[in-house]
Amino acid sequence: MDDYQKEIADLERQIEQLVEAEGDAKTIAELTMQLDILKAIYTRATDLYQRGRKDEGLRYGLRIQGYGEWSLDNVYAFVYERSVELEPGPHSAFVGGIKTADFALMLNS
């Protein structure tokens, strides 16, 4: 389990505890939105990382954009920063944007 998976699991446990304790609904909703975003970013970062292990062009793109060598941490940083730059909107649209963004294309542009 890497640090990102641990962060996601910790947040899931925190939400579960709040739900069981009948905690503040607004806090639960905010944490759930944060969890959705983290899961989407992690999924996209790990997918891109796996693709890049076989694609020198992606690895080169990450280096020339200043993120360093091909590692999950560096790919995650790239995906995270590009996600933040996506068009803001309602939560579901934002998460959907992360899920559909072409991060490989962003690396090569």
Side-chain angles (χ1 to χ4, degrees):
M1 177 179 281
D2 60 44
D3 289 341
Y4 306 108
Q5 291 172 314
K6 184 179 179 322
E7 180 180 7
I8 288 169
D10 289 348
L11 190 52
E12 287 174 328
R13 272 191 298 282
Q14 184 180 359
I15 293 167
E16 287 172 11
Q17 290 170 350
L18 282 169
V19 169
E20 288 174 10
E22 297 181 13
D24 179 56
K26 182 178 178 183
T27 301
I28 293 169
E30 289 172 356
L31 291 174
T32 300
M33 286 190 292
Q34 181 181 349
L35 178 62
D36 291 344
I37 292 167
L38 289 175
K39 283 181 173 181
I41 291 171
Y42 181 75
T43 297
R44 296 309 309 279
T46 55
D47 290 347
L48 183 61
Y49 175 72
Q50 291 302 324
R51 282 181 62 189
R53 293 178 71 192
K54 299 174 185 163
D55 185 333
E56 176 57 39
L58 292 176
R59 295 191 304 269
Y60 176 74
L62 190 73
R63 281 192 310 272
I64 65 167
Q65 290 197 34
Y67 289 89
E69 294 302 314
W70 198 258
S71 70
L72 181 57
D73 287 341
N74 292 344
V75 172
Y76 187 95
F78 170 79
V79 171
Y80 179 89
E81 289 180 16
R82 291 304 179 271
S83 295
V84 171
E85 295 170 356
L86 293 174
E87 186 70 31
H91 174 70
S92 60
F94 180 65
V95 171
I98 294 169
K99 290 179 178 180
T100 61
D102 190 342
F103 293 103
L105 180 63
M106 291 178 200
L107 271 177
N108 291 321
S109 56

